[in-house]
Coordinates of all heavy atoms in Angstrom, one line a residue:
Q856 N 0.8 -1.2 0.0 CA 0.0 0.0 0.0 C 0.9 1.3 0.0 O 2.0 1.2 0.4 CB -0.9 0.0 1.2 CG -0.2 0.2 2.5 CD -1.2 0.2 3.7 OE1 -2.4 -0.2 3.5 NE2 -0.8 0.6 4.9
R857 N 0.2 2.3 -0.4 CA 0.9 3.6 -0.4 C 0.7 4.2 1.1 O -0.3 4.0 1.7 CB 0.2 4.6 -1.3 CG 0.2 4.3 -2.8 CD -0.5 5.4 -3.6 NE -0.4 5.2 -5.0 CZ -1.3 4.6 -5.8 NH1 -2.4 4.1 -5.2 NH2 -1.1 4.4 -7.0
T858 N 1.8 4.8 1.5 CA 1.7 5.4 2.8 C 1.5 6.9 2.7 O 1.2 7.6 3.7 CB 3.0 5.2 3.7 OG1 4.1 5.7 2.9 CG2 3.2 3.7 3.9
N859 N 1.6 7.5 1.5 CA 1.3 8.9 1.3 C -0.1 9.0 0.8 O -0.7 8.0 0.4 CB 2.3 9.6 0.3 CG 2.4 8.9 -1.0 OD1 2.3 7.7 -1.1 ND2 2.6 9.7 -2.1
T860 N -0.7 10.2 0.8 CA -2.1 10.4 0.4 C -2.3 9.9 -1.1 O -1.6 10.4 -2.0 CB -2.5 11.9 0.5 OG1 -2.2 12.3 1.8 CG2 -3.9 12.1 0.2
P861 N -3.3 9.0 -1.3 CA -3.6 8.6 -2.7 C -4.5 9.6 -3.4 O -5.7 9.5 -3.5 CB -4.3 7.3 -2.5 CG -5.0 7.5 -1.2 CD -4.1 8.3 -0.3
Y862 N -3.9 10.7 -3.9 CA -4.6 11.7 -4.7 C -5.4 11.0 -5.8 O -5.0 10.1 -6.4 CB -3.7 12.8 -5.2 CG -2.9 13.4 -4.2 CD1 -1.5 13.2 -4.0 CD2 -3.5 14.3 -3.3 CE1 -0.8 13.8 -3.0 CE2 -2.8 15.0 -2.3 CZ -1.4 14.7 -2.2 OH -0.7 15.3 -1.2
T863 N -6.6 11.5 -6.0 CA -7.5 10.9 -7.0 C -7.0 10.8 -8.4 O -7.4 9.9 -9.1 CB -8.9 11.6 -7.0 OG1 -8.7 13.0 -7.3 CG2 -9.6 11.5 -5.6
S864 N -6.1 11.7 -8.8 CA -5.5 11.6 -10.1 C -4.2 10.9 -10.2 O -3.6 10.9 -11.3 CB -5.4 13.0 -10.7 OG -4.6 13.8 -9.9
T865 N -3.7 10.3 -9.1 CA -2.5 9.6 -9.1 C -2.6 8.4 -10.0 O -3.6 7.6 -9.8 CB -2.1 9.1 -7.7 OG1 -1.9 10.3 -6.9 CG2 -0.7 8.4 -7.7
P866 N -1.8 8.2 -11.0 CA -1.9 7.0 -11.9 C -1.6 5.7 -11.2 O -0.9 5.7 -10.2 CB -1.0 7.3 -13.0 CG 0.1 8.2 -12.4 CD -0.6 9.0 -11.4
A867 N -2.1 4.6 -11.8 CA -1.7 3.3 -11.3 C -0.2 3.0 -11.4 O 0.4 3.6 -12.3 CB -2.5 2.2 -12.0
C868 N 0.3 2.2 -10.6 CA 1.7 1.9 -10.7 C 1.9 0.4 -10.4 O 1.2 -0.2 -9.7 CB 2.6 2.7 -9.8 SG 2.5 2.3 -8.0
T869 N 2.9 -0.2 -11.1 CA 3.3 -1.6 -10.9 C 4.4 -1.7 -9.9 O 5.5 -1.1 -10.1 CB 3.7 -2.2 -12.2 OG1 2.6 -2.2 -13.1 CG2 4.1 -3.7 -12.0
V870 N 4.2 -2.5 -8.9 CA 5.2 -2.7 -7.8 C 5.8 -4.1 -8.0 O 5.1 -5.1 -8.1 CB 4.6 -2.6 -6.4 CG1 5.7 -2.8 -5.3 CG2 3.9 -1.2 -6.3
T871 N 7.1 -4.2 -8.1 CA 7.8 -5.6 -8.1 C 8.4 -5.9 -6.7 O 8.8 -5.0 -6.0 CB 8.9 -5.6 -9.2 OG1 9.9 -4.6 -8.9 CG2 8.3 -5.3 -10.5
Y872 N 8.3 -7.1 -6.4 CA 8.8 -7.5 -5.1 C 9.5 -8.9 -5.2 O 9.3 -9.7 -6.1 CB 7.7 -7.6 -4.0 CG 6.5 -8.4 -4.4 CD1 6.5 -9.8 -4.1 CD2 5.4 -7.9 -5.0 CE1 5.4 -10.6 -4.4 CE2 4.3 -8.6 -5.4 CZ 4.3 -10.0 -5.1 OH 3.3 -10.8 -5.4
Q873 N 10.4 -9.2 -4.2 CA 11.1 -10.5 -4.1 C 10.7 -11.2 -2.8 O 10.7 -10.5 -1.8 CB 12.6 -10.2 -4.2 CG 13.4 -11.5 -4.2 CD 14.9 -11.2 -4.3 OE1 15.4 -10.0 -4.1 NE2 15.7 -12.2 -4.6
V874 N 10.5 -12.5 -2.9 CA 10.1 -13.3 -1.8 C 11.3 -14.1 -1.3 O 11.9 -14.8 -2.1 CB 8.9 -14.2 -2.1 CG1 8.5 -15.0 -0.9 CG2 7.8 -13.4 -2.6
T875 N 11.7 -14.0 0.0 CA 12.8 -14.7 0.5 C 12.4 -15.3 1.8 O 11.3 -15.1 2.3 CB 14.0 -13.8 0.8 OG1 13.7 -12.7 1.7 CG2 14.5 -13.1 -0.5
G876 N 13.3 -16.1 2.4 CA 13.0 -16.8 3.7 C 13.4 -18.2 3.7 O 13.9 -18.8 2.7
T877 N 13.1 -18.9 4.8 CA 13.5 -20.3 4.9 C 12.5 -21.3 4.3 O 12.8 -22.4 4.1 CB 13.8 -20.7 6.4 OG1 12.6 -20.4 7.2 CG2 14.9 -19.9 7.0
A878 N 11.3 -20.8 4.2 CA 10.2 -21.7 3.6 C 10.5 -21.7 2.1 O 11.1 -20.8 1.5 CB 8.8 -21.1 3.8
T879 N 10.1 -22.8 1.5 CA 10.3 -23.1 0.0 C 9.1 -22.9 -0.8 O 8.1 -23.5 -0.5 CB 10.9 -24.5 -0.2 OG1 12.0 -24.7 0.6 CG2 11.2 -24.8 -1.6
K880 N 9.3 -22.0 -1.8 CA 8.1 -21.8 -2.8 C 7.8 -23.1 -3.5 O 8.7 -23.8 -4.0 CB 8.5 -20.7 -3.8 CG 7.4 -20.5 -4.8 CD 7.8 -19.3 -5.7 CE 8.9 -19.7 -6.6 NZ 9.2 -18.6 -7.6
G881 N 6.6 -23.5 -3.6 CA 6.1 -24.7 -4.3 C 6.1 -25.9 -3.4 O 5.5 -26.9 -3.7
G882 N 6.9 -25.8 -2.2 CA 6.9 -26.9 -1.3 C 6.1 -26.5 0.0 O 5.2 -27.3 0.4
D883 N 6.5 -25.4 0.5 CA 5.8 -24.9 1.8 C 4.7 -23.9 1.5 O 3.8 -23.7 2.3 CB 6.8 -24.2 2.7 CG 7.9 -25.2 3.1 OD1 7.6 -26.3 3.6 OD2 9.1 -24.8 3.0
Y884 N 4.7 -23.2 0.3 CA 3.7 -22.3 0.0 C 3.5 -22.2 -1.5 O 4.5 -22.5 -2.2 CB 3.9 -20.9 0.6 CG 5.2 -20.3 0.1 CD1 5.2 -19.4 -1.0 CD2 6.4 -20.4 0.8 CE1 6.3 -18.8 -1.4 CE2 7.6 -19.8 0.4 CZ 7.5 -19.0 -0.7 OH 8.7 -18.4 -1.2
A885 N 2.4 -21.8 -2.0 CA 2.2 -21.6 -3.4 C 2.8 -20.3 -3.9 O 2.9 -19.3 -3.1 CB 0.7 -21.6 -3.7
D886 N 3.2 -20.3 -5.1 CA 3.8 -19.1 -5.7 C 2.7 -18.0 -5.8 O 1.6 -18.2 -6.2 CB 4.3 -19.5 -7.1 CG 5.0 -18.3 -7.8 OD1 5.3 -17.3 -7.1 OD2 5.1 -18.3 -9.0
F887 N 3.1 -16.8 -5.3 CA 2.1 -15.7 -5.4 C 2.8 -14.5 -6.2 O 2.4 -13.3 -6.0 CB 1.6 -15.2 -4.1 CG 2.6 -14.9 -3.0 CD1 3.1 -13.6 -2.9 CD2 3.0 -15.9 -2.2 CE1 4.1 -13.4 -1.9 CE2 4.0 -15.7 -1.2 CZ 4.5 -14.4 -1.0
G888 N 3.6 -14.9 -7.1 CA 4.1 -13.9 -8.1 C 5.2 -13.0 -7.6 O 5.7 -13.2 -6.4
G889 N 5.6 -12.0 -8.4 CA 6.6 -11.0 -8.0 C 6.2 -9.6 -8.3 O 7.1 -8.7 -8.3
S890 N 5.0 -9.4 -8.7 CA 4.6 -8.0 -8.9 C 3.1 -7.8 -8.7 O 2.3 -8.8 -8.6 CB 4.9 -7.6 -10.4 OG 4.0 -8.4 -11.3
A891 N 2.7 -6.6 -8.4 CA 1.3 -6.3 -8.2 C 1.1 -4.9 -8.7 O 2.0 -4.0 -8.8 CB 1.0 -6.3 -6.7
V892 N -0.2 -4.6 -9.1 CA -0.5 -3.3 -9.6 C -1.4 -2.5 -8.6 O -2.4 -3.0 -8.1 CB -1.4 -3.4 -10.9 CG1 -1.8 -2.0 -11.4 CG2 -0.5 -4.1 -12.0
L893 N -0.8 -1.3 -8.2 CA -1.6 -0.5 -7.3 C -2.5 0.4 -8.2 O -2.1 1.0 -9.1 CB -0.7 0.5 -6.5 CG 0.1 -0.1 -5.4 CD1 1.2 0.9 -4.9 CD2 -0.8 -0.4 -4.2
P894 N -3.8 0.3 -8.0 CA -4.8 1.1 -8.8 C -4.6 2.6 -8.7 O -4.0 3.0 -7.7 CB -6.1 0.6 -8.4 CG -5.9 0.1 -7.0 CD -4.5 -0.4 -6.9
S895 N -5.1 3.3 -9.6 CA -5.1 4.8 -9.5 C -5.7 5.2 -8.2 O -6.6 4.6 -7.6 CB -5.8 5.4 -10.7 OG -7.1 5.0 -10.7
G896 N -5.1 6.3 -7.7 CA -5.4 6.7 -6.3 C -6.8 7.2 -6.0 O -7.0 8.4 -5.8
Q897 N -7.7 6.3 -5.9 CA -9.0 6.6 -5.4 C -9.1 6.3 -3.9 O -8.4 5.4 -3.4 CB -10.0 5.7 -6.2 CG -10.0 5.8 -7.7 CD -10.5 7.2 -8.1 OE1 -11.3 7.8 -7.5 NE2 -9.9 7.7 -9.2
A898 N -9.9 7.1 -3.3 CA -10.0 6.9 -1.8 C -10.5 5.5 -1.5 O -11.4 5.0 -2.1 CB -11.0 7.9 -1.3
G899 N -9.8 4.8 -0.6 CA -10.2 3.4 -0.2 C -9.6 2.4 -1.1 O -10.0 1.2 -0.9
S900 N -8.8 2.7 -2.1 CA -8.3 1.6 -3.0 C -6.8 1.8 -3.1 O -6.3 1.6 -4.2 CB -9.0 1.7 -4.3 OG -8.7 2.9 -4.9
N901 N -6.2 2.0 -2.0 CA -4.7 2.3 -2.1 C -3.9 1.1 -1.7 O -2.7 1.2 -1.3 CB -4.4 3.5 -1.2 CG -4.6 3.2 0.3 OD1 -5.5 2.4 0.6 ND2 -3.8 3.8 1.2
Y902 N -4.5 -0.2 -1.8 CA -3.7 -1.3 -1.6 C -4.1 -2.5 -2.5 O -5.1 -2.5 -3.1 CB -3.8 -1.7 -0.1 CG -5.1 -2.2 0.3 CD1 -5.5 -3.5 0.2 CD2 -6.0 -1.2 0.9 CE1 -6.8 -3.9 0.6 CE2 -7.3 -1.6 1.2 CZ -7.7 -3.0 1.1 OH -8.9 -3.3 1.5
V903 N -3.2 -3.5 -2.5 CA -3.5 -4.7 -3.3 C -3.3 -5.9 -2.4 O -2.3 -6.0 -1.7 CB -2.5 -4.7 -4.5 CG1 -2.4 -6.1 -5.1 CG2 -2.9 -3.8 -5.6

């Protein structure tokens, strides 16, 4: 999520992330990708 104010005209943005840890992807948990799209900054929709 955004921690700054999601102004209504703020465009959508794609966030990439990396998953690390001692658990194993595909063995201990299902793959949940490496990117997510934050929708344009409408009130109440500032997270994915």
Side-chain angles (χ1 to χ4, degrees):
Q856 68 180 13
R857 297 180 177 95
T858 59
N859 56 326
T860 303
Y862 301 106
T863 56
S864 57
T865 301
C868 71
T869 300
V870 181
T871 58
Y872 55 87
Q873 183 179 11
V874 181
T875 61
T877 57
T879 303
K880 180 178 68 175
D883 299 309
Y884 62 89
D886 182 16
F887 52 90
S890 67
V892 177
L893 286 168
S895 58
Q897 301 293 327
S900 63
N901 65 330
Y902 64 89
V903 162

